[in-house]
Amino acid sequence: DTGVSQNPRHKITKRGQNVTFRCDPISEHNRLYWYRQTLGQGPEFLTYFQNEAQLEKSRLLSDRFSAERPKGSFSTLEIQRTEQGDSAMYLCASSFSYQPQHFGDGTRLSIL
Amino acid sequence: GQQVMQIPQYQHVQEGEDFTTYCNSSTTLSNIQWYKQRPGGHPVFLIQLVKSGEVKKQKRLTFQFGEAKKNSSLHITATQTTDVGTYFCAGYSGGGADGLTFGKGTHLIIQP
């Protein structure tokens, strides 16, 4: 069990650019979640997948955000036309069904 | 939508003192989970409570789930410097909403 892996760890980009993050969940977990966390706040749910199906999306997930999980393994989260307000830590977590979620170390996004 | 509130936001204690954080949900929860996040780290699962009125202990940590399944508490006896971090409660409300809703957390600061 190598845990949940996220890359890159840090991403600095100019406003208006597109960015993509990757998450590799724990292999036997069928659920994968994306959260966003800003300083001093708890993680905010963005979306989740059960296997390859995206089953729920938060209203926080604007049209500029898209997530995929091809083949039910790794997942990518893309943000198009980044804005200042997108600066945050993007956390990925995985679980088996409703079992407790295991979080990765996150990708810290900074928008210049 | 569901809201999860935690108090206090910050708690300063002397090493050896006890600490309690309280969590309240605006809706009845199917279960509640507690996570700890060290500075610079990611949330790490501590425990899950499912039954109304449930009490669970982990060494110096005692977790309670309210009878109405809308509130919970975490109590740490005789804090140690290793307890430093932010403690989050998180819940599923059920009803098709499968993303965890986190509270804002209680930041525990320990003075030696």
Side-chain angles (χ1 to χ4, degrees):
Chain A
D1 179 359
T2 57
V4 177
S5 176
Q6 290 188 248
N7 63 80
R9 291 295 307 276
H10 303 274
K11 180 70 177 179
I12 301 172
T13 192
K14 293 182 179 178
R15 187 178 57 182
Q17 297 295 305
N18 299 344
V19 294
T20 301
F21 312 138
R22 177 178 170 127
C23 172
D24 288 89
I26 293 172
S27 57
E28 59 266 27
H29 287 177
N30 61 345
R31 289 191 169 199
L32 186 149
Y33 304 81
W34 285 99
Y35 292 87
R36 181 173 67 189
Q37 186 176 28
T38 53
L39 197 62
Q41 303 294 315
E44 295 175 299
F45 170 74
L46 294 177
T47 188
Y48 97 96
F49 294 83
Q50 180 155 305
N51 300 312
E52 67 275 10
Q54 188 173 16
L55 295 187
E56 188 180 355
K57 290 194 287 186
S58 162
R59 56 184 169 78
L60 293 176
L61 211 67
S62 77
D63 292 343
R64 297 184 297 106
F65 288 68
S66 62
E68 294 182 345
R69 194 185 182 195
K71 303 178 183 177
S73 56
F74 72 92
S75 175
T76 58
L77 177 68
E78 181 184 16
I79 308 174
Q80 295 182 328
R81 305 181 303 282
T82 52
E83 301 173 355
Q84 289 285 348
D86 296 332
S87 294
M89 176 73 83
Y90 289 84
L91 292 165
C92 176
S94 69
S95 71
F96 181 75
S97 190
Y98 281 99
Q99 295 301 307
Q101 296 179 21
H102 296 255
F103 283 81
D105 286 333
T107 294
R108 182 170 296 284
L109 175 64
S110 299
I111 308 295
L112 301 177
Chain B
Q2 179 189 27
Q3 289 185 323
V4 176
M5 293 146 286
Q6 276 187 260
I7 56 170
Q9 187 175 358
Y10 293 92
Q11 183 75 61
H12 291 78
V13 300
Q14 295 283 337
E15 188 176 8
E17 291 182 338
D18 293 354
F19 159 76
T20 304
T21 173
Y22 300 91
C23 177
N24 286 283
S25 170
S26 58
T27 60
T28 301
L29 299 169
S30 56
N31 66 59
I32 194 158
Q33 300 179 13
W34 285 90
Y35 291 78
K36 177 184 178 182
Q37 186 172 23
R38 286 202 164 98
H42 58 266
V44 174
F45 172 77
L46 293 177
I47 207 159
Q48 175 173 278
L49 304 172
V50 178
K51 299 177 183 177
S52 169
E54 189 170 14
V55 177
K56 286 189 176 180
K57 292 190 176 183
Q58 285 181 351
K59 296 182 180 178
R60 294 179 294 103
L61 278 61
T62 302
F63 303 84
Q64 292 188 324
F65 200 9
E67 293 290 339
K69 302 184 74 172
K70 294 181 73 173
N71 63 303
S72 181
S73 65
L74 158 60
H75 179 82
I76 302 178
T77 304
T79 54
Q80 301 174 359
T81 54
T82 53
D83 296 326
V84 164
T86 303
Y87 292 84
F88 294 100
C89 62
Y92 291 108
S93 62
D98 281 336
L100 276 174
T101 300
F102 280 79
K104 289 188 176 182
T106 295
H107 305 264
L108 174 60
I109 298 119
I110 298 177
Q111 295 156 340

